[in-house]
Amino acid sequence: MRVLVTGCNGQVGHCLVQQLTGRVELLAVDRAELDITNQNEVEALVSEFKPSFIINAAAHTAVDKAEEEEALSYAVNRDGPMFLAESAARVGATLMHISTDYVFPGNKDGIYSEDDATGPLGVYGKSKLAGELAVAEKTDKFIILRTAWVFGEHGHNFVKTMLRLGKDRDALNIVGDQYGGPTYAGHIAGALISMMNQLSTDGDSSLYGIYHFSGAPHVSWCEFAESIFQEAEKSGLLEAPKVTSITTDMYPTPAARPANSKMDCDKIESAFNIKPSDWRLALKNINEYV
């Protein structure tokens, strides 16, 4: 199997390379090797490599910067996936594209299913939704995997930020009225690979489409921070600071965040037997995040 991974130096891309190396014929590229916003570059590379699967882990994920960098956000999050989808269709490859909870407005009382109406609040979410629509328009053979609150040992994320701040401060104020499922990057990579293997084995076209994959149990950012500090203290990394829950209004940011990022993962479990990410288990190796 020939697999092209874009965004290989990001959180999920890094894990994909770790898990795929030696198992498939792998071509892993980042921005320096492939600018996905350049249609000619994408066409040339895909035509030459002729992958069976393309996993797009490249994205412009700076949520607040996106409000100022709208053109860049749309170039990376919409145009790049569109070019990859066009090239995938041309060589008969399946495109697996990572999307986000930010495509939803976050005002639902319950958890979000794949069929719920979208309504992004800011440029990041709008550009990611545009990318989803572009992928679905340009190829029939696609998987869109929406995920949320990604963290891991590699790259920048909430866990690393909390560990850094927790070493320097005795007390922290953390937003407690935004809820979601923290999702371990290694589990996202594993889910994508599991889906890829099943698709390559049985070729069931009914499996293509949009899926949710995120962590359980659902928590607030404040509750997630408390869990991080508990594990860090157990591991001797730091003495847990006092954590105080605050409201979103008390911590203004350039981009609005969904208050509810809880995602229903029943569809992916039913179709692929993939269970939600156990983020508490992923925190057990918290020494690796330092």
Side-chain angles (χ1 to χ4, degrees), residues 100-122 125-126 129 146 177-179 212 248 255-263:
T100 174
D101 56 301
Y102 275 71
V103 299
F104 295 113
N107 58 359
K108 184 180 179 180
D109 288 336
I111 57 178
Y112 279 98
S113 73
E114 289 83 353
D115 296 327
D116 278 325
T118 54
L121 301 176
K126 290 174 182 176
L129 178 59
R146 292 175 179 154
D177 59 357
Q178 295 173 20
Y179 292 86
H212 288 176
T248 299
R257 267 72 171 166
N260 175 15
S261 290
K262 299 175 183 177
M263 303 174 80

PDB file of all heavy atoms in Angstrom, residues 100-122 125-126 129 146 177-179 212 248 255-263:
ATOM      1  N   THR A 100     -12.617  19.351  12.154  1.00  0.00           N
ATOM      2  CA  THR A 100     -12.642  19.890  13.511  1.00  0.00           C
ATOM      3  C   THR A 100     -14.052  20.109  14.057  1.00  0.00           C
ATOM      4  O   THR A 100     -15.013  20.269  13.281  1.00  0.00           O
ATOM      5  CB  THR A 100     -11.888  21.237  13.527  1.00  0.00           C
ATOM      6  OG1 THR A 100     -12.018  21.862  14.810  1.00  0.00           O
ATOM      7  CG2 THR A 100     -12.470  22.196  12.496  1.00  0.00           C
ATOM      8  N   ASP A 101     -14.139  20.157  15.370  1.00  0.00           N
ATOM      9  CA  ASP A 101     -15.386  20.512  16.055  1.00  0.00           C
ATOM     10  C   ASP A 101     -15.787  21.965  15.777  1.00  0.00           C
ATOM     11  O   ASP A 101     -16.947  22.343  15.976  1.00  0.00           O
ATOM     12  CB  ASP A 101     -15.223  20.317  17.564  1.00  0.00           C
ATOM     13  CG  ASP A 101     -14.051  21.121  18.129  1.00  0.00           C
ATOM     14  OD1 ASP A 101     -12.921  20.907  17.671  1.00  0.00           O
ATOM     15  OD2 ASP A 101     -14.261  21.956  19.035  1.00  0.00           O
ATOM     16  N   TYR A 102     -14.855  22.774  15.334  1.00  0.00           N
ATOM     17  CA  TYR A 102     -15.130  24.195  15.107  1.00  0.00           C
ATOM     18  C   TYR A 102     -16.074  24.445  13.925  1.00  0.00           C
ATOM     19  O   TYR A 102     -16.456  25.591  13.687  1.00  0.00           O
ATOM     20  CB  TYR A 102     -13.827  24.966  14.880  1.00  0.00           C
ATOM     21  CG  TYR A 102     -13.147  25.402  16.157  1.00  0.00           C
ATOM     22  CD1 TYR A 102     -12.539  24.482  16.994  1.00  0.00           C
ATOM     23  CD2 TYR A 102     -13.100  26.740  16.515  1.00  0.00           C
ATOM     24  CE1 TYR A 102     -11.907  24.883  18.160  1.00  0.00           C
ATOM     25  CE2 TYR A 102     -12.467  27.157  17.670  1.00  0.00           C
ATOM     26  CZ  TYR A 102     -11.873  26.213  18.494  1.00  0.00           C
ATOM     27  OH  TYR A 102     -11.249  26.620  19.648  1.00  0.00           O
ATOM     28  N   VAL A 103     -16.454  23.390  13.200  1.00  0.00           N
ATOM     29  CA  VAL A 103     -17.455  23.572  12.141  1.00  0.00           C
ATOM     30  C   VAL A 103     -18.847  23.771  12.746  1.00  0.00           C
ATOM     31  O   VAL A 103     -19.774  24.189  12.056  1.00  0.00           O
ATOM     32  CB  VAL A 103     -17.480  22.383  11.152  1.00  0.00           C
ATOM     33  CG1 VAL A 103     -16.132  22.232  10.472  1.00  0.00           C
ATOM     34  CG2 VAL A 103     -17.905  21.085  11.829  1.00  0.00           C
ATOM     35  N   PHE A 104     -18.990  23.472  14.053  1.00  0.00           N
ATOM     36  CA  PHE A 104     -20.266  23.653  14.741  1.00  0.00           C
ATOM     37  C   PHE A 104     -20.267  24.949  15.543  1.00  0.00           C
ATOM     38  O   PHE A 104     -19.219  25.418  15.992  1.00  0.00           O
ATOM     39  CB  PHE A 104     -20.534  22.479  15.682  1.00  0.00           C
ATOM     40  CG  PHE A 104     -20.711  21.163  14.975  1.00  0.00           C
ATOM     41  CD1 PHE A 104     -19.782  20.142  15.128  1.00  0.00           C
ATOM     42  CD2 PHE A 104     -21.813  20.941  14.157  1.00  0.00           C
ATOM     43  CE1 PHE A 104     -19.946  18.928  14.481  1.00  0.00           C
ATOM     44  CE2 PHE A 104     -21.983  19.731  13.496  1.00  0.00           C
ATOM     45  CZ  PHE A 104     -21.048  18.719  13.657  1.00  0.00           C
ATOM     46  N   PRO A 105     -21.453  25.519  15.798  1.00  0.00           N
ATOM     47  CA  PRO A 105     -21.533  26.757  16.580  1.00  0.00           C
ATOM     48  C   PRO A 105     -21.353  26.535  18.078  1.00  0.00           C
ATOM     49  O   PRO A 105     -21.053  27.476  18.812  1.00  0.00           O
ATOM     50  CB  PRO A 105     -22.935  27.286  16.272  1.00  0.00           C
ATOM     51  CG  PRO A 105     -23.732  26.063  15.940  1.00  0.00           C
ATOM     52  CD  PRO A 105     -22.773  25.143  15.243  1.00  0.00           C
ATOM     53  N   GLY A 106     -21.559  25.293  18.540  1.00  0.00           N
ATOM     54  CA  GLY A 106     -21.350  24.997  19.957  1.00  0.00           C
ATOM     55  C   GLY A 106     -22.486  25.401  20.866  1.00  0.00           C
ATOM     56  O   GLY A 106     -22.302  25.498  22.079  1.00  0.00           O
ATOM     57  N   ASN A 107     -23.674  25.615  20.306  1.00  0.00           N
ATOM     58  CA  ASN A 107     -24.805  26.047  21.130  1.00  0.00           C
ATOM     59  C   ASN A 107     -25.862  24.960  21.327  1.00  0.00           C
ATOM     60  O   ASN A 107     -26.959  25.225  21.804  1.00  0.00           O
ATOM     61  CB  ASN A 107     -25.465  27.291  20.528  1.00  0.00           C
ATOM     62  CG  ASN A 107     -25.944  27.066  19.096  1.00  0.00           C
ATOM     63  OD1 ASN A 107     -25.767  25.979  18.538  1.00  0.00           O
ATOM     64  ND2 ASN A 107     -26.540  28.092  18.508  1.00  0.00           N
ATOM     65  N   LYS A 108     -25.538  23.734  20.957  1.00  0.00           N
ATOM     66  CA  LYS A 108     -26.471  22.622  21.122  1.00  0.00           C
ATOM     67  C   LYS A 108     -26.465  22.140  22.564  1.00  0.00           C
ATOM     68  O   LYS A 108     -25.421  22.146  23.232  1.00  0.00           O
ATOM     69  CB  LYS A 108     -26.080  21.480  20.174  1.00  0.00           C
ATOM     70  CG  LYS A 108     -27.038  20.305  20.180  1.00  0.00           C
ATOM     71  CD  LYS A 108     -26.590  19.212  19.212  1.00  0.00           C
ATOM     72  CE  LYS A 108     -27.556  18.038  19.267  1.00  0.00           C
ATOM     73  NZ  LYS A 108     -27.173  16.949  18.335  1.00  0.00           N
ATOM     74  N   ASP A 109     -27.601  21.678  23.047  1.00  0.00           N
ATOM     75  CA  ASP A 109     -27.677  21.155  24.411  1.00  0.00           C
ATOM     76  C   ASP A 109     -27.010  19.788  24.529  1.00  0.00           C
ATOM     77  O   ASP A 109     -26.335  19.499  25.505  1.00  0.00           O
ATOM     78  CB  ASP A 109     -29.149  21.053  24.854  1.00  0.00           C
ATOM     79  CG  ASP A 109     -29.766  22.417  25.115  1.00  0.00           C
ATOM     80  OD1 ASP A 109     -29.005  23.357  25.404  1.00  0.00           O
ATOM     81  OD2 ASP A 109     -31.004  22.528  25.014  1.00  0.00           O
ATOM     82  N   GLY A 110     -27.188  18.949  23.528  1.00  0.00           N
ATOM     83  CA  GLY A 110     -26.621  17.605  23.571  1.00  0.00           C
ATOM     84  C   GLY A 110     -25.305  17.505  22.827  1.00  0.00           C
ATOM     85  O   GLY A 110     -24.625  18.495  22.581  1.00  0.00           O
ATOM     86  N   ILE A 111     -24.950  16.268  22.451  1.00  0.00           N
ATOM     87  CA  ILE A 111     -23.695  16.052  21.732  1.00  0.00           C
ATOM     88  C   ILE A 111     -23.942  16.137  20.225  1.00  0.00           C
ATOM     89  O   ILE A 111     -25.033  15.856  19.741  1.00  0.00           O
ATOM     90  CB  ILE A 111     -23.042  14.703  22.105  1.00  0.00           C
ATOM     91  CG1 ILE A 111     -23.997  13.530  21.832  1.00  0.00           C
ATOM     92  CG2 ILE A 111     -22.617  14.704  23.558  1.00  0.00           C
ATOM     93  CD1 ILE A 111     -23.381  12.176  22.135  1.00  0.00           C
ATOM     94  N   TYR A 112     -22.915  16.523  19.487  1.00  0.00           N
ATOM     95  CA  TYR A 112     -23.036  16.744  18.052  1.00  0.00           C
ATOM     96  C   TYR A 112     -22.818  15.454  17.264  1.00  0.00           C
ATOM     97  O   TYR A 112     -21.800  14.782  17.420  1.00  0.00           O
ATOM     98  CB  TYR A 112     -22.023  17.785  17.580  1.00  0.00           C
ATOM     99  CG  TYR A 112     -22.467  19.209  17.820  1.00  0.00           C
ATOM    100  CD1 TYR A 112     -22.017  19.920  18.936  1.00  0.00           C
ATOM    101  CD2 TYR A 112     -23.347  19.847  16.947  1.00  0.00           C
ATOM    102  CE1 TYR A 112     -22.434  21.227  19.158  1.00  0.00           C
ATOM    103  CE2 TYR A 112     -23.760  21.145  17.159  1.00  0.00           C
ATOM    104  CZ  TYR A 112     -23.301  21.836  18.264  1.00  0.00           C
ATOM    105  OH  TYR A 112     -23.713  23.124  18.478  1.00  0.00           O
ATOM    106  N   SER A 113     -23.781  15.140  16.396  1.00  0.00           N
ATOM    107  CA  SER A 113     -23.624  14.022  15.472  1.00  0.00           C
ATOM    108  C   SER A 113     -23.170  14.548  14.121  1.00  0.00           C
ATOM    109  O   SER A 113     -23.194  15.758  13.860  1.00  0.00           O
ATOM    110  CB  SER A 113     -24.947  13.260  15.315  1.00  0.00           C
ATOM    111  OG  SER A 113     -25.858  14.022  14.541  1.00  0.00           O
ATOM    112  N   GLU A 114     -22.792  13.619  13.255  1.00  0.00           N
ATOM    113  CA  GLU A 114     -22.295  14.003  11.932  1.00  0.00           C
ATOM    114  C   GLU A 114     -23.364  14.719  11.099  1.00  0.00           C
ATOM    115  O   GLU A 114     -23.028  15.489  10.192  1.00  0.00           O
ATOM    116  CB  GLU A 114     -21.809  12.756  11.177  1.00  0.00           C
ATOM    117  CG  GLU A 114     -20.532  12.147  11.720  1.00  0.00           C
ATOM    118  CD  GLU A 114     -20.738  11.210  12.908  1.00  0.00           C
ATOM    119  OE1 GLU A 114     -21.878  11.125  13.419  1.00  0.00           O
ATOM    120  OE2 GLU A 114     -19.759  10.572  13.335  1.00  0.00           O
ATOM    121  N   ASP A 115     -24.626  14.461  11.377  1.00  0.00           N
ATOM    122  CA  ASP A 115     -25.714  15.025  10.580  1.00  0.00           C
ATOM    123  C   ASP A 115     -26.213  16.368  11.099  1.00  0.00           C
ATOM    124  O   ASP A 115     -27.078  16.990  10.471  1.00  0.00           O
ATOM    125  CB  ASP A 115     -26.896  14.043  10.530  1.00  0.00           C
ATOM    126  CG  ASP A 115     -26.533  12.744   9.826  1.00  0.00           C
ATOM    127  OD1 ASP A 115     -25.706  12.792   8.887  1.00  0.00           O
ATOM    128  OD2 ASP A 115     -27.054  11.690  10.228  1.00  0.00           O
ATOM    129  N   ASP A 116     -25.705  16.819  12.232  1.00  0.00           N
ATOM    130  CA  ASP A 116     -26.165  18.090  12.779  1.00  0.00           C
ATOM    131  C   ASP A 116     -25.753  19.254  11.891  1.00  0.00           C
ATOM    132  O   ASP A 116     -24.710  19.207  11.219  1.00  0.00           O
ATOM    133  CB  ASP A 116     -25.603  18.298  14.190  1.00  0.00           C
ATOM    134  CG  ASP A 116     -26.410  17.557  15.249  1.00  0.00           C
ATOM    135  OD1 ASP A 116     -27.639  17.461  15.092  1.00  0.00           O
ATOM    136  OD2 ASP A 116     -25.800  17.089  16.228  1.00  0.00           O
ATOM    137  N   ALA A 117     -26.558  20.297  11.924  1.00  0.00           N
ATOM    138  CA  ALA A 117     -26.268  21.485  11.114  1.00  0.00           C
ATOM    139  C   ALA A 117     -24.980  22.139  11.589  1.00  0.00           C
ATOM    140  O   ALA A 117     -24.743  22.284  12.789  1.00  0.00           O
ATOM    141  CB  ALA A 117     -27.427  22.468  11.213  1.00  0.00           C
ATOM    142  N   THR A 118     -24.156  22.527  10.623  1.00  0.00           N
ATOM    143  CA  THR A 118     -22.920  23.245  10.952  1.00  0.00           C
ATOM    144  C   THR A 118     -23.232  24.736  11.072  1.00  0.00           C
ATOM    145  O   THR A 118     -24.305  25.193  10.716  1.00  0.00           O
ATOM    146  CB  THR A 118     -21.861  23.015   9.860  1.00  0.00           C
ATOM    147  OG1 THR A 118     -22.415  23.355   8.583  1.00  0.00           O
ATOM    148  CG2 THR A 118     -21.420  21.552   9.843  1.00  0.00           C
ATOM    149  N   GLY A 119     -22.268  25.478  11.586  1.00  0.00           N
ATOM    150  CA  GLY A 119     -22.433  26.918  11.750  1.00  0.00           C
ATOM    151  C   GLY A 119     -21.237  27.496  12.462  1.00  0.00           C
ATOM    152  O   GLY A 119     -21.342  27.933  13.606  1.00  0.00           O
ATOM    153  N   PRO A 120     -20.087  27.493  11.810  1.00  0.00           N
ATOM    154  CA  PRO A 120     -18.848  27.932  12.452  1.00  0.00           C
ATOM    155  C   PRO A 120     -18.915  29.388  12.916  1.00  0.00           C
ATOM    156  O   PRO A 120     -19.575  30.219  12.297  1.00  0.00           O
ATOM    157  CB  PRO A 120     -17.780  27.752  11.388  1.00  0.00           C
ATOM    158  CG  PRO A 120     -18.450  27.311  10.147  1.00  0.00           C
ATOM    159  CD  PRO A 120     -19.892  27.097  10.416  1.00  0.00           C
ATOM    160  N   LEU A 121     -18.199  29.665  14.007  1.00  0.00           N
ATOM    161  CA  LEU A 121     -18.223  31.000  14.610  1.00  0.00           C
ATOM    162  C   LEU A 121     -17.157  31.931  14.056  1.00  0.00           C
ATOM    163  O   LEU A 121     -17.335  33.146  14.062  1.00  0.00           O
ATOM    164  CB  LEU A 121     -18.048  30.880  16.130  1.00  0.00           C
ATOM    165  CG  LEU A 121     -19.091  30.054  16.893  1.00  0.00           C
ATOM    166  CD1 LEU A 121     -18.703  29.962  18.366  1.00  0.00           C
ATOM    167  CD2 LEU A 121     -20.476  30.660  16.738  1.00  0.00           C
ATOM    168  N   GLY A 122     -16.038  31.387  13.610  1.00  0.00           N
ATOM    169  CA  GLY A 122     -14.910  32.221  13.195  1.00  0.00           C
ATOM    170  C   GLY A 122     -14.276  31.738  11.910  1.00  0.00           C
ATOM    171  O   GLY A 122     -14.713  30.760  11.292  1.00  0.00           O
ATOM    172  N   GLY A 125     -13.013  27.902  11.759  1.00  0.00           N
ATOM    173  CA  GLY A 125     -14.093  26.947  11.537  1.00  0.00           C
ATOM    174  C   GLY A 125     -14.705  27.070  10.160  1.00  0.00           C
ATOM    175  O   GLY A 125     -15.020  26.060   9.498  1.00  0.00           O
ATOM    176  N   LYS A 126     -14.875  28.297   9.690  1.00  0.00           N
ATOM    177  CA  LYS A 126     -15.452  28.517   8.361  1.00  0.00           C
ATOM    178  C   LYS A 126     -14.545  27.965   7.269  1.00  0.00           C
ATOM    179  O   LYS A 126     -15.017  27.366   6.291  1.00  0.00           O
ATOM    180  CB  LYS A 126     -15.714  30.007   8.141  1.00  0.00           C
ATOM    181  CG  LYS A 126     -16.851  30.561   8.999  1.00  0.00           C
ATOM    182  CD  LYS A 126     -16.977  32.072   8.848  1.00  0.00           C
ATOM    183  CE  LYS A 126     -18.094  32.610   9.753  1.00  0.00           C
ATOM    184  NZ  LYS A 126     -18.191  34.087   9.711  1.00  0.00           N
ATOM    185  N   LEU A 129     -14.727  24.130   7.370  1.00  0.00           N
ATOM    186  CA  LEU A 129     -15.974  23.656   6.778  1.00  0.00           C
ATOM    187  C   LEU A 129     -15.910  23.767   5.252  1.00  0.00           C
ATOM    188  O   LEU A 129     -16.364  22.858   4.535  1.00  0.00           O
ATOM    189  CB  LEU A 129     -17.158  24.453   7.316  1.00  0.00           C
ATOM    190  CG  LEU A 129     -18.530  24.075   6.743  1.00  0.00           C
ATOM    191  CD1 LEU A 129     -18.851  22.612   7.003  1.00  0.00           C
ATOM    192  CD2 LEU A 129     -19.623  24.983   7.314  1.00  0.00           C
ATOM    193  N   ARG A 146     -13.693  14.394  11.817  1.00  0.00           N
ATOM    194  CA  ARG A 146     -13.734  15.561  12.706  1.00  0.00           C
ATOM    195  C   ARG A 146     -13.259  15.161  14.099  1.00  0.00           C
ATOM    196  O   ARG A 146     -13.706  14.157  14.647  1.00  0.00           O
ATOM    197  CB  ARG A 146     -15.169  16.095  12.802  1.00  0.00           C
ATOM    198  CG  ARG A 146     -15.707  16.707  11.524  1.00  0.00           C
ATOM    199  CD  ARG A 146     -17.161  17.084  11.702  1.00  0.00           C
ATOM    200  NE  ARG A 146     -17.738  17.692  10.506  1.00  0.00           N
ATOM    201  CZ  ARG A 146     -19.033  17.654  10.217  1.00  0.00           C
ATOM    202  NH1 ARG A 146     -19.880  17.028  11.038  1.00  0.00           N
ATOM    203  NH2 ARG A 146     -19.490  18.223   9.120  1.00  0.00           N
ATOM    204  N   ASP A 177     -16.543  26.808  31.237  1.00  0.00           N
ATOM    205  CA  ASP A 177     -17.863  26.703  30.615  1.00  0.00           C
ATOM    206  C   ASP A 177     -17.788  26.341  29.128  1.00  0.00           C
ATOM    207  O   ASP A 177     -18.730  26.577  28.375  1.00  0.00           O
ATOM    208  CB  ASP A 177     -18.671  27.995  30.814  1.00  0.00           C
ATOM    209  CG  ASP A 177     -17.987  29.232  30.235  1.00  0.00           C
ATOM    210  OD1 ASP A 177     -16.851  29.107  29.731  1.00  0.00           O
ATOM    211  OD2 ASP A 177     -18.598  30.320  30.298  1.00  0.00           O
ATOM    212  N   GLN A 178     -16.662  25.786  28.717  1.00  0.00           N
ATOM    213  CA  GLN A 178     -16.533  25.180  27.390  1.00  0.00           C
ATOM    214  C   GLN A 178     -16.255  23.694  27.593  1.00  0.00           C
ATOM    215  O   GLN A 178     -15.364  23.331  28.370  1.00  0.00           O
ATOM    216  CB  GLN A 178     -15.387  25.814  26.593  1.00  0.00           C
ATOM    217  CG  GLN A 178     -15.583  27.279  26.249  1.00  0.00           C
ATOM    218  CD  GLN A 178     -14.345  27.894  25.605  1.00  0.00           C
ATOM    219  OE1 GLN A 178     -13.492  27.192  25.080  1.00  0.00           O
ATOM    220  NE2 GLN A 178     -14.249  29.217  25.656  1.00  0.00           N
ATOM    221  N   TYR A 179     -17.035  22.847  26.905  1.00  0.00           N
ATOM    222  CA  TYR A 179     -16.950  21.405  27.130  1.00  0.00           C
ATOM    223  C   TYR A 179     -16.627  20.656  25.842  1.00  0.00           C
ATOM    224  O   TYR A 179     -17.078  21.033  24.761  1.00  0.00           O
ATOM    225  CB  TYR A 179     -18.278  20.886  27.692  1.00  0.00           C
ATOM    226  CG  TYR A 179     -18.580  21.381  29.089  1.00  0.00           C
ATOM    227  CD1 TYR A 179     -19.214  22.597  29.288  1.00  0.00           C
ATOM    228  CD2 TYR A 179     -18.186  20.647  30.207  1.00  0.00           C
ATOM    229  CE1 TYR A 179     -19.474  23.073  30.571  1.00  0.00           C
ATOM    230  CE2 TYR A 179     -18.446  21.116  31.493  1.00  0.00           C
ATOM    231  CZ  TYR A 179     -19.087  22.322  31.661  1.00  0.00           C
ATOM    232  OH  TYR A 179     -19.327  22.787  32.929  1.00  0.00           O
ATOM    233  N   HIS A 212     -17.038  11.339  13.305  1.00  0.00           N
ATOM    234  CA  HIS A 212     -16.526  12.030  14.484  1.00  0.00           C
ATOM    235  C   HIS A 212     -15.636  11.084  15.272  1.00  0.00           C
ATOM    236  O   HIS A 212     -15.967   9.907  15.464  1.00  0.00           O
ATOM    237  CB  HIS A 212     -17.678  12.505  15.385  1.00  0.00           C
ATOM    238  CG  HIS A 212     -18.442  13.656  14.818  1.00  0.00           C
ATOM    239  ND1 HIS A 212     -19.568  14.177  15.424  1.00  0.00           N
ATOM    240  CD2 HIS A 212     -18.238  14.397  13.689  1.00  0.00           C
ATOM    241  CE1 HIS A 212     -20.023  15.187  14.697  1.00  0.00           C
ATOM    242  NE2 HIS A 212     -19.234  15.327  13.643  1.00  0.00           N
ATOM    243  N   THR A 248     -16.025  32.044  29.996  1.00  0.00           N
ATOM    244  CA  THR A 248     -15.442  32.484  28.732  1.00  0.00           C
ATOM    245  C   THR A 248     -15.342  34.002  28.674  1.00  0.00           C
ATOM    246  O   THR A 248     -14.358  34.556  28.166  1.00  0.00           O
ATOM    247  CB  THR A 248     -16.285  31.959  27.554  1.00  0.00           C
ATOM    248  OG1 THR A 248     -16.280  30.518  27.582  1.00  0.00           O
ATOM    249  CG2 THR A 248     -15.728  32.434  26.225  1.00  0.00           C
ATOM    250  N   ALA A 255     -10.848  35.107  18.600  1.00  0.00           N
ATOM    251  CA  ALA A 255     -11.812  34.218  17.943  1.00  0.00           C
ATOM    252  C   ALA A 255     -12.731  33.581  18.976  1.00  0.00           C
ATOM    253  O   ALA A 255     -12.284  33.158  20.046  1.00  0.00           O
ATOM    254  CB  ALA A 255     -11.079  33.128  17.168  1.00  0.00           C
ATOM    255  N   ALA A 256     -14.010  33.502  18.656  1.00  0.00           N
ATOM    256  CA  ALA A 256     -14.974  32.842  19.534  1.00  0.00           C
ATOM    257  C   ALA A 256     -14.772  31.333  19.489  1.00  0.00           C
ATOM    258  O   ALA A 256     -14.470  30.765  18.436  1.00  0.00           O
ATOM    259  CB  ALA A 256     -16.387  33.196  19.105  1.00  0.00           C
ATOM    260  N   ARG A 257     -14.922  30.688  20.647  1.00  0.00           N
ATOM    261  CA  ARG A 257     -14.810  29.238  20.751  1.00  0.00           C
ATOM    262  C   ARG A 257     -16.188  28.611  20.945  1.00  0.00           C
ATOM    263  O   ARG A 257     -17.041  29.208  21.606  1.00  0.00           O
ATOM    264  CB  ARG A 257     -13.948  28.841  21.956  1.00  0.00           C
ATOM    265  CG  ARG A 257     -12.475  28.622  21.674  1.00  0.00           C
ATOM    266  CD  ARG A 257     -11.726  29.863  21.407  1.00  0.00           C
ATOM    267  NE  ARG A 257     -10.271  29.607  21.366  1.00  0.00           N
ATOM    268  CZ  ARG A 257      -9.390  30.460  20.896  1.00  0.00           C
ATOM    269  NH1 ARG A 257      -9.798  31.634  20.428  1.00  0.00           N
ATOM    270  NH2 ARG A 257      -8.102  30.162  20.884  1.00  0.00           N
ATOM    271  N   PRO A 258     -16.425  27.410  20.413  1.00  0.00           N
ATOM    272  CA  PRO A 258     -17.688  26.730  20.689  1.00  0.00           C
ATOM    273  C   PRO A 258     -17.784  26.394  22.183  1.00  0.00           C
ATOM    274  O   PRO A 258     -16.832  25.864  22.757  1.00  0.00           O
ATOM    275  CB  PRO A 258     -17.599  25.450  19.848  1.00  0.00           C
ATOM    276  CG  PRO A 258     -16.493  25.675  18.876  1.00  0.00           C
ATOM    277  CD  PRO A 258     -15.549  26.633  19.521  1.00  0.00           C
ATOM    278  N   ALA A 259     -18.920  26.693  22.777  1.00  0.00           N
ATOM    279  CA  ALA A 259     -19.106  26.336  24.189  1.00  0.00           C
ATOM    280  C   ALA A 259     -19.283  24.831  24.352  1.00  0.00           C
ATOM    281  O   ALA A 259     -18.890  24.248  25.365  1.00  0.00           O
ATOM    282  CB  ALA A 259     -20.318  27.069  24.756  1.00  0.00           C
ATOM    283  N   ASN A 260     -19.850  24.211  23.327  1.00  0.00           N
ATOM    284  CA  ASN A 260     -20.081  22.767  23.359  1.00  0.00           C
ATOM    285  C   ASN A 260     -19.380  22.114  22.182  1.00  0.00           C
ATOM    286  O   ASN A 260     -19.761  22.305  21.036  1.00  0.00           O
ATOM    287  CB  ASN A 260     -21.592  22.486  23.316  1.00  0.00           C
ATOM    288  CG  ASN A 260     -21.894  20.995  23.222  1.00  0.00           C
ATOM    289  OD1 ASN A 260     -21.029  20.155  23.455  1.00  0.00           O
ATOM    290  ND2 ASN A 260     -23.136  20.670  22.874  1.00  0.00           N
ATOM    291  N   SER A 261     -18.337  21.351  22.478  1.00  0.00           N
ATOM    292  CA  SER A 261     -17.617  20.601  21.442  1.00  0.00           C
ATOM    293  C   SER A 261     -17.754  19.099  21.667  1.00  0.00           C
ATOM    294  O   SER A 261     -16.909  18.317  21.235  1.00  0.00           O
ATOM    295  CB  SER A 261     -16.132  20.993  21.435  1.00  0.00           C
ATOM    296  OG  SER A 261     -15.959  22.304  20.955  1.00  0.00           O
ATOM    297  N   LYS A 262     -18.832  18.699  22.342  1.00  0.00           N
ATOM    298  CA  LYS A 262     -19.048  17.272  22.599  1.00  0.00           C
ATOM    299  C   LYS A 262     -19.490  16.589  21.309  1.00  0.00           C
ATOM    300  O   LYS A 262     -20.463  16.992  20.683  1.00  0.00           O
ATOM    301  CB  LYS A 262     -20.124  17.086  23.673  1.00  0.00           C
ATOM    302  CG  LYS A 262     -19.782  17.703  25.018  1.00  0.00           C
ATOM    303  CD  LYS A 262     -20.956  17.564  25.974  1.00  0.00           C
ATOM    304  CE  LYS A 262     -20.687  18.231  27.308  1.00  0.00           C
ATOM    305  NZ  LYS A 262     -21.857  18.153  28.222  1.00  0.00           N
ATOM    306  N   MET A 263     -18.773  15.550  20.938  1.00  0.00           N
ATOM    307  CA  MET A 263     -19.021  14.887  19.663  1.00  0.00           C
ATOM    308  C   MET A 263     -19.475  13.446  19.861  1.00  0.00           C
ATOM    309  O   MET A 263     -18.901  12.708  20.669  1.00  0.00           O
ATOM    310  CB  MET A 263     -17.768  14.942  18.785  1.00  0.00           C
ATOM    311  CG  MET A 263     -17.285  16.363  18.531  1.00  0.00           C
ATOM    312  SD  MET A 263     -15.711  16.452  17.656  1.00  0.00           S
ATOM    313  CE  MET A 263     -16.253  16.193  15.984  1.00  0.00           C
TER     314      MET A 263
END
